[in-house]
Amino acid sequence: MLFDIVCAFVIAGTLVLFVWLLRGMLLMPLVRGKHTKITVVVKVQGFEPCLEQTISGLNWLSSNGTLPGNVVIVDDGMDTETRTVAEHLARQKSGVCFQRKDVPLWEKNEEQQNYREP
């Protein structure tokens, strides 16, 4: 009886490990060239209640090596509350930068202090 229970746990653990490995194969890391930088640009307009979840998801992909790059949040007419959230995310998360609407894209500004060089 005890042997059957132990075997069931071993089989279940093996199945869980197999599914975990299969999931990892589906999320193959993005291969980057030696002289290539990857930047994800997120343009936000108006009120965006899911901005924090979007940036957290992209940051998670970056931190586990699936998406080796930076995230730039571009103010494309976002409201005050969303802008505050975006600025907070840029200060708190490594590799996340905030680009103000009045600064041309790719012009370095003080909000881009978290920009990671490969």
Side-chain angles (χ1 to χ4, degrees):
M1 176 77 166
L2 180 63
F3 180 73
D4 293 337
I5 293 173
V6 170
C7 284
F9 276 113
V10 169
I11 291 170
T14 304
L15 183 63
V16 167
L17 181 62
F18 176 72
V19 169
W20 182 263
L21 290 173
L22 184 63
R23 179 199 151 273
M25 288 173 53
L26 292 174
L27 285 175
M28 290 296 289
L30 187 64
V31 179
R32 176 180 60 170
K34 184 177 179 181
H35 303 288
T36 303
K37 294 180 185 178
I38 298 172
T39 303
V40 177
V41 177
V42 180
K43 284 187 168 186
V44 182
Q45 294 178 336
F47 177 67
E48 181 52 66
C50 297
L51 179 62
E52 192 167 1
Q53 288 84 4
T54 301
I55 301 303
S56 292
L58 289 169
N59 201 37
W60 177 79
L61 287 172
S62 180
S63 67
N64 74 10
T66 305
L67 179 66
N70 293 293
V71 177
V72 177
I73 306 168
V74 177
D75 181 354
D76 197 25
M78 59 178 76
D79 71 336
T80 308
E81 183 180 344
T82 305
R83 187 177 303 108
T84 304
V85 170
E87 290 171 348
H88 174 74
L89 290 169
R91 283 191 302 271
Q92 297 298 319
K93 296 189 181 290
S94 176
V96 177
C97 306
F98 176 73
Q99 186 75 36
R100 294 188 323 253
K101 189 174 187 174
D102 61 336
V103 177
L105 190 58
W106 309 122
E107 181 178 314
K108 197 159 178 107
N109 59 56
E110 65 272 3
E111 282 88 9
Q112 292 180 344
Q113 62 188 354
N114 285 337
Y115 197 81
R116 284 186 293 227
E117 292 294 329

